[in-house]
Structures are given as C-alpha cells and as structure tokens.
Amino acid sequence: MSDSPDPGEPEVPTEDEPVLLSAGATPIAPPPPTPEPIATGALAAPRQRRGARQVLVAGLAGGVVGALVAAGMYAVFDDNSTSSVRAPTASNVIVGPSQRIEQNGDIAAILKADVPAVVAIVDDGGPDNGGAAGTGFVVTADGVIVTNNHVVEGATKIQAQFSDGTKLTAKVLGTAPSSDLAVVKVDGINLATIELGDSDAVQVGDDVVAIGNALALEGGLSVTRGIVSGLHRDVPTGRSQILGDVIQTDAAINPGNSGGPLVDAQGRVIGINTAIADPSSAQNVGFAIPISQVKSLIGTLTEGKHPAFLGVSTDPTSGDDGALINSVTQGSPADKGGIRPGDVVVQVGTTPVHSSAALKPAIRRYKASQQVDVLVDRDGKRTTLHVTLGEATEADS
C-alpha cells in the first residue's frame, strides 16, 4: 500500500473556476471541439510536448487537467474523473529580511555560474520531430543530471544539450514518479555543476530566478525573475497523486521549463520547476519541488535504488495540522514502528508535516534502512515513535 491517499468521491469544477495547465498546453478561448491531446499526466505543465511549436502557432489548446477553487484544489485526470484535495492553510512565518538580488549585475553573476550547468533535455528528437523537451541541471562533474520524471517518462532516446552547444546522450539512472523526480546521466569529465541550496531556509518574498528551456525556443535557455509567493502548497499531478509541500513562485515558468532549477539570490538551487497554473485563469502561479526535500532521493536514484517507504495510507481531508493515518500495511516499517490507524503524524525527524500530502516527501528526505523519529498525535497526546524505513517497490516509487 502506498503512502498516497486513494482518490475520493469526484467533485466536478465549474466553468468559472481557474484551471491548472497540462504539459505543453497553450490555452485560448474557445478551444477547438476535439483538440489534439498534448498531456500524458495532469499538472506536469512545463514539459514542451509533441507539436508544441505548431500548437503555439495555430492556437490549439491542449487538454485542461485541473482547477483551483476557493474551497480547495481539484485535479482532473486523463480519464476525466476528478478528486478533491484540501488546500493547506499553514501560515508562513517570516523570520528575517527577504533574500534580495540587489542589482541587475547580480543576475549576470548568477547566470555566469549556473547556465553552464543547466541543460535542455530533448526526448526522441524534440517537439519538431514528435518528441518532447524539458530542462535539467548537472549535479556531479561526471554527468549526473536532475530533472522531472514527466520530462523523460516514456522516452526512447534522451539527449542533453549544453549551453556551449555540446550534445550528449543521456541514460536514466532512476525515477520516482510519485515525486516527479528523475536522475539521468551523460558521460562527462569536469562538467560544470550547480550548487544545491537549502529550501528549508526559504521564506515568502525571497527573490528567485528560473532558468530553463522555455518553449524549446532556438537560441539558448530562458531566464525569468520573481519571488517566492507561497510555501507548503499541495499540488495534484494526476494518477491520483499529489506533490506535497511545494514552493509557489511568480517567476515565469513555461512549457519546457520542467526539471529546471529555481535558484536563490546566491544562485543556489532551491527548487525544481515542475508545474504552472493556466495563465488564462491565474497569473504567474508556478510550482517547484523544494530541493531539500529531494536531496537524499537524488542520491538514492543515482544509486539505482528505490525511495524510502513507510507503509501507510492517509486521509486527504485531514486538514493542515498533520497527516491522519487511515490504515497501516501489516509488516510494514510503520507497523513495526508502532504507528496505528487514527494517529496524526505531525513531524518526521525535524520536518513538520503540514498535510497528508506532505508525509511522503518528509519520509523521502531519508533513505531506506535509516531510522527516523516520527512524532504522532494519538488521542490528544504527542508520542515519538522510532521507525526504521523500508525500500519502496517500483509501483510505490
């Protein structure tokens, strides 16, 4: 049994509700009666999909795959069914001055350091040849590259294109679809790498820069600037899954940016750009996976292993004060560690758990076989349980 909740009773959004944009879709009104389906998954917005340039020129709209409404967040999956998700309401505490890019010249310094380590990911020949395109960034000098799972999923040939024009074939080392993370590798020597920052130290209002292969345009990578707009967002991604505890930014993120870095004022990666809201209904609402959430997972996938596993299902409507445990898989790490149905997990290690969707990313900060303290609320009393994590199966990854 996975850590993710099963979808509940469908709720159908109204026409007036804002929507979340699918992969490569460019919305206009009204769309043609039977648009070419562009997305293969729900909110995986910024991957540039097949025929995307032609879509931009002809004004075709891809499939609408989700909606944000006042009462919560709703996702529409490929089979046209829906599942409701309670939006988190955890407050964001401002603990100090915002991190600022003081001068335009500071952005030039960031780009000089970071752009050589950012690559355009081109699948199966790219959009003009029936393939797709996204972004990745190099984290080791011998060629380990981080990107989104939805960027490389289903690809038979993957190519990494560097800013100096070098093109290298990449192979997949590991993927974690439920975290929308993939690690690929090219054969390289002394490649430029990008520094990973600390997304746990990020706060609302901090300046950020997004770098990526926006729209797979000719002439190199695109760069946009913005701020951190929100924290602890839970975002539907399709397949009854939710990316929990992600960063919201108003830095412009477009199809093709998926898998690219969101960097702080010092040029350090604090997020992996992953999804956007439909700009016809919401302006400058993008989402990035916090880098501190997946540092350990990157190492796990690089080794060809599966993520850490707890073995519970949770109630998706349990609010913003923890993850309510619905059931515990017999013999799982959770079972052996003493977690019971009805417990509310409020912290894993030093990471607060703001919602049910935030439990899995909190667990995946660790590796299989590691022992972690899990703080639960049981009948109004706080109890710390010591759980030795297991390794997820491929289906639970």
Side-chain angles (χ1 to χ4, degrees):
M1 183 176 299
S2 73
D3 298 339
S4 300
D6 294 329
E9 188 68 23
E11 297 186 43
V12 180
T14 66
E15 292 182 356
D16 293 332
E17 294 167 350
V19 295
L20 292 170
L21 182 63
S22 70
T26 302
I28 65 167
T34 55
E36 177 186 357
I38 297 174
T40 58
L43 185 66
R47 178 187 182 188
Q48 185 73 1
R49 294 290 301 173
R50 179 183 311 190
R53 292 202 184 103
Q54 289 85 342
V55 170
L56 289 169
V57 173
L60 298 178
V64 173
V65 296
L68 285 169
V69 296
M73 189 176 290
Y74 301 86
V76 181
F77 305 114
D78 292 341
D79 59 2
N80 294 321
S81 65
T82 63
S83 176
S84 64
V85 180
R86 185 186 181 105
T89 57
S91 61
N92 299 316
V93 178
I94 305 302
V95 297
S98 297
Q99 296 295 312
R100 292 296 186 199
I101 301 171
E102 299 295 344
Q103 302 177 15
N104 288 335
D106 296 337
I107 295 181
I110 290 172
L111 300 182
K112 183 178 180 180
D114 289 354
V115 166
V118 181
V119 299
I121 301 290
V122 179
D123 297 343
D124 301 328
D128 287 342
N129 296 290
T135 308
F137 52 93
V138 182
V139 293
T140 68
D142 63 348
V144 173
I145 297 171
V146 176
T147 187
N148 285 142
N149 176 71
H150 75 259
V151 169
V152 298
E153 186 175 30
T156 58
K157 182 180 179 181
I158 304 169
Q159 189 176 65
Q161 299 183 356
F162 291 75
S163 59
D164 64 359
T166 301
K167 299 179 181 180
L168 298 176
T169 298
K171 64 178 181 180
V172 176
L173 295 181
T175 64
S178 63
S179 297
D180 200 14
L181 188 72
V183 174
V184 303
K185 189 178 185 305
V186 298
D187 289 330
I189 300 174
N190 296 325
L191 296 177
T193 61
I194 195 167
E195 182 180 357
L196 304 185
D198 180 9
S199 58
D200 292 340
V202 168
Q203 64 182 15
V204 173
D206 286 352
D207 280 351
V208 290
V209 173
I211 307 171
N213 186 24
L215 305 181
L217 296 172
E218 299 290 345
L221 300 170
S222 295
V223 179
T224 56
R225 176 181 176 176
I227 63 169
V228 172
S229 304
L231 299 170
H232 311 307
R233 305 303 198 202
D234 293 346
V235 179
T237 63
R239 302 173 185 172
S240 304
Q241 295 171 349
I242 302 166
L243 287 179
D245 223 9
V246 299
I247 297 168
Q248 179 185 333
T249 180
D250 70 348
I253 298 172
N254 292 283
N257 274 116
S258 269
L262 185 71
V263 304
D264 64 13
Q266 286 73 46
R268 302 167 300 195
V269 179
I270 54 97
I272 304 170
N273 298 320
T274 298
I276 54 177
D278 182 349
S280 71
S281 300
Q283 297 299 311
N284 298 329
V285 179
F287 301 99
I289 301 168
I291 196 64
S292 297
Q293 187 185 104
V294 294
K295 283 181 179 178
S296 178
L297 184 52
I298 290 169
T300 295
L301 298 180
T302 300
E303 296 169 359
K305 298 179 180 179
H306 295 302
F309 177 70
L310 183 61
V312 299
S313 67
T314 56
D315 183 351
T317 61
S318 58
D320 62 350
D321 53 356
L324 174 62
I325 304 301
N326 267 343
S327 63
V328 178
T329 303
Q330 186 175 4
S332 68
D335 184 29
K336 294 176 181 179
I339 296 177
R340 305 173 186 171
D343 286 348
V344 177
V345 178
V346 296
Q347 187 167 305
V348 175
T350 59
T351 303
V353 176
H354 299 281
S355 66
S356 289
L359 177 57
K360 179 174 285 187
I363 291 295
R364 291 188 170 179
R365 287 172 176 257
Y366 300 89
K367 293 187 176 184
S369 78
Q370 279 189 281
Q371 187 181 82
V372 61
D373 290 343
V374 178
L375 180 64
V376 302
D377 188 312
R378 180 178 293 168
D379 300 325
K381 296 181 180 180
R382 295 284 174 100
T383 301
T384 298
L385 302 173
H386 309 292
V387 179
T388 299
L389 299 174
E391 184 174 357
T393 64
E394 185 172 353
D396 287 320
S397 294

